Amino acid sequence: MEVTEVVVLGTEKTRPETVQAYSRLDAGDTITVDELTRAERRLIATGLFQDVKVSTQSTGEDQVRVVLQVQDKASWVVAPTFSVSNSNIGGGVLYAESNLWGRSKKFATALQISTAESGLFVGFLDPNLFGFPPLRLSFEGQLRSDRVEEYQPGASQKKPEVARRTRLNSGSIASELSVMIAERVRVGAKYRLMLIDALDPSDDTPVTTPAFEPGPIQRDASLRLMVGVDTRQNLHAIMEGLNIEGSMEISNPGVWSDFRYKRFGLLYRHGLRFFEEHNLVLRGEAVAGTDLPFHQELVAGAGSLRGFIYRQFRGDTRLSFTAEYHFPLFTVRSLSFRGVAFSDTGLMMWRSLPEDLLLRDVNGRVVRGYLPDSKSGLSNATVAQGVGAGLRLFLRSVVLPLVGVDVAYGVNSGELRFYLVAGVNPSS
């Protein structure tokens, strides 16, 4: 069939040209029924619409008018946020707009105060730069005060002991530009500039030597390059598709940094749909860093490894795998209650540590003083696993999930831990 015209109906805020751009249909195109189905999925995946219907009207022999019938979601929200996990309790307020000027530009700002980290976040995302959906540009900024706790090694502790507590203050700005090629391959680059200030460690912990030598504020800048295949689509509460991404991040004086480190990553994410409303979501990651300063180390625990304390494990190498099975429970009007069963597995280790357990930056300043009992090598790696179940609440008419509750059992420690998130954490 040849398209003679594309008509957009039902929009209250979203501009018709934005709807048509996301559908990727235009007059003169030759289309099939499958292409109409793909256009409908593209529109749903934007997250802008409660309902989408793509239909045709005959205008002649083998010619049709395409009708894009959509119903806008409420595009902005002012909402409290709240999170509870072991060693981190806090909340704040969030303002988010997902459809600026009816062109799907996104803006968010959030203030958060918690026992582990507090700060202000501001972010802007243009997912269709110059009206071209494959091109994305983002800006973000943060002011943050972080209470970093290091724990004695081992995953079998029922109540892990804090070995050292350090306060880190930072401010950062970042920008990312990416392009999607043929709706499958994404290539991107991100530049980040951070100012970091470390204070003396708390004197009420067993280790009082600094993890990061106090002194003048330091500049941490990095350039991150990414390439991968990404066919994921979020269709309301269901995630479908595959994402495999490789990345390399470098920080050195050549990118205007006081630090010199590298980080390499490989990420796998896969969403599989069953029985219309059931969803299996898989996530695997391998990350390795070289000469990572204290504030850039890899961590695991709580949200990234349920069943354990927030940021309980640290290292320069991390392997992780998560499997979640989401299933519908019941729906009240547009409010959906969904259950989830999950398994989180992680391996954390130091590949190689300095003999004096001190890592210095390009100016000779100590940017990582490791704990006295830190050991490197695969034989000293920590392997941890958590399993559990949870509840998710989604409201079809708004752009954000409402509540997530998880109960996780740490297989190593035998402890049950509880996690609650209300709203979202925009900095994650």
Side-chain angles (χ1 to χ4, degrees):
M1 299 177 290
E2 180 185 352
V3 179
T4 58
E5 184 184 11
V6 177
V7 178
V8 178
L9 300 177
T11 58
E12 296 180 359
K13 181 173 184 177
T14 309
R15 289 176 175 267
E17 58 268 30
T18 299
V19 179
Q20 184 175 346
Y22 276 118
S23 74
R24 305 198 182 186
L25 299 177
D26 205 348
D29 290 349
T30 300
I31 61 170
T32 65
V33 174
D34 288 342
E35 181 60 31
L36 294 176
T37 301
R38 285 193 291 270
E40 187 170 296
R41 289 169 62 90
R42 290 186 195 112
L43 291 171
I44 295 173
T46 65
L48 299 175
F49 310 112
Q50 297 185 53
D51 292 296
V52 175
K53 182 180 180 182
V54 178
S55 60
T56 60
Q57 299 171 349
S58 177
T59 58
E61 185 177 354
D62 294 329
Q63 292 183 325
V64 294
R65 175 187 299 111
V66 175
V67 179
L68 308 176
Q69 178 83 39
V70 299
Q71 181 181 356
D72 287 327
K73 286 184 178 181
S75 67
W76 65 272
V77 62
V78 176
T81 63
F82 188 68
S83 63
V84 175
S85 67
N86 298 82
S87 81
N88 188 29
I89 300 174
V93 62
L94 166 76
Y95 168 76
E97 167 61 71
S98 68
N99 198 4
L100 278 172
W101 312 302
R103 297 184 181 274
S104 79
K105 319 303 182 187
K106 305 179 190 305
F107 173 80
T109 184
L111 176 66
Q112 174 178 289
I113 299 175
S114 71
T115 54
E117 53 192 4
S118 301
L120 174 68
F121 169 88
V122 178
F124 172 80
L125 169 65
D126 188 341
N128 60 345
L129 190 61
F130 308 124
F132 186 53
L135 202 57
R136 297 164 59 97
L137 177 67
S138 68
F139 298 95
E140 63 182 56
Q142 288 191 53
L143 293 174
R144 179 166 165 170
S145 183
D146 206 346
R147 187 192 71 175
V148 183
E149 295 183 331
E150 299 171 81
Y151 295 90
Q152 298 292 353
S156 61
Q157 306 171 76
K158 291 184 177 297
K159 294 183 178 180
E161 178 186 354
V162 176
R164 179 168 52 197
R165 185 178 294 112
T166 304
R167 175 67 63 178
L168 293 176
N169 298 320
S170 64
S172 67
I173 56 174
S175 180
E176 179 179 330
L177 177 66
S178 67
V179 59
M180 181 74 81
I181 303 171
E183 295 191 75
R184 288 182 174 273
V185 178
R186 183 175 296 281
V187 179
K190 180 175 184 178
Y191 182 79
R192 175 185 49 78
L193 178 63
M194 171 187 289
L195 298 178
I196 184 78
D197 180 35
L199 306 182
D200 285 311
S202 174
D203 58 7
D204 60 352
T205 53
V207 180
T208 57
T209 55
F212 191 117
E213 183 181 340
I217 293 174
Q218 287 180 283
R219 185 175 61 246
D220 178 7
S222 72
L223 177 65
R224 184 170 182 257
L225 304 175
M226 302 150 281
V227 61
V229 174
D230 193 353
T231 64
R232 291 172 302 151
Q233 291 184 316
N234 289 308
L235 307 174
H236 299 305
I238 304 293
M239 193 273 274
E240 287 186 0
L242 173 67
N243 176 215
I244 299 176
E245 178 184 285
S247 64
M248 177 184 71
E249 183 179 10
I250 57 172
S251 175
N252 57 47
V255 295
W256 206 44
S257 180
D258 292 329
F259 299 87
R260 191 186 300 273
Y261 62 85
K262 297 178 182 178
R263 183 158 39 207
F264 302 90
L266 182 63
L267 176 64
Y268 159 80
R269 290 179 286 191
H270 200 178
L272 301 168
R273 188 171 193 160
F274 302 98
F275 314 118
E276 293 298 325
E277 294 297 325
H278 291 240
N279 196 193
L280 175 63
V281 180
L282 306 175
R283 186 185 193 279
E285 187 178 28
V287 188
T290 301
D291 297 332
L292 297 177
F294 183 48
H295 64 285
Q296 291 293 348
E297 280 176 349
L298 306 176
V299 296
S304 62
L305 184 57
R306 287 161 289 190
F308 300 91
I309 287 178
Y310 183 60
R311 297 190 297 202
Q312 181 176 342
F313 309 111
R314 309 182 70 87
D316 61 14
T317 303
R318 179 179 67 203
L319 300 176
S320 62
F321 184 78
T322 293
E324 294 187 340
Y325 192 86
H326 299 254
F327 51 93
L329 295 174
F330 56 90
T331 299
V332 179
R333 295 184 181 274
S334 60
L335 182 62
S336 297
F337 293 77
R338 295 177 60 82
V340 58
F342 60 83
S343 171
D344 294 346
T345 304
L347 179 148
M348 294 289 297
M349 61 176 282
W350 305 103
R351 292 195 320 280
S352 179
L353 295 174
E355 289 187 6
D356 59 358
L357 296 181
L358 297 175
L359 175 67
R360 292 175 170 82
D361 65 7
V362 295
N363 299 312
R365 181 174 172 182
V366 174
V367 293
R368 183 50 164 128
Y370 301 93
L371 294 175
D373 52 359
S374 298
K375 297 179 181 180
S376 60
L378 186 60
S379 60
N380 295 303
T382 297
V383 179
Q385 183 176 25
V387 296
L391 176 68
R392 302 287 185 271
L393 274 66
F394 293 90
L395 190 60
R396 193 182 181 99
S397 60
V398 299
V399 294
L400 300 175
L402 296 182
V403 177
V405 181
D406 288 332
V407 178
Y409 173 76
V411 175
N412 307 69
S413 64
E415 285 288 292
L416 275 175
R417 302 193 189 279
F418 174 84
Y419 308 93
L420 167 66
V421 176
V424 296
N425 178 3
S427 61
S428 62

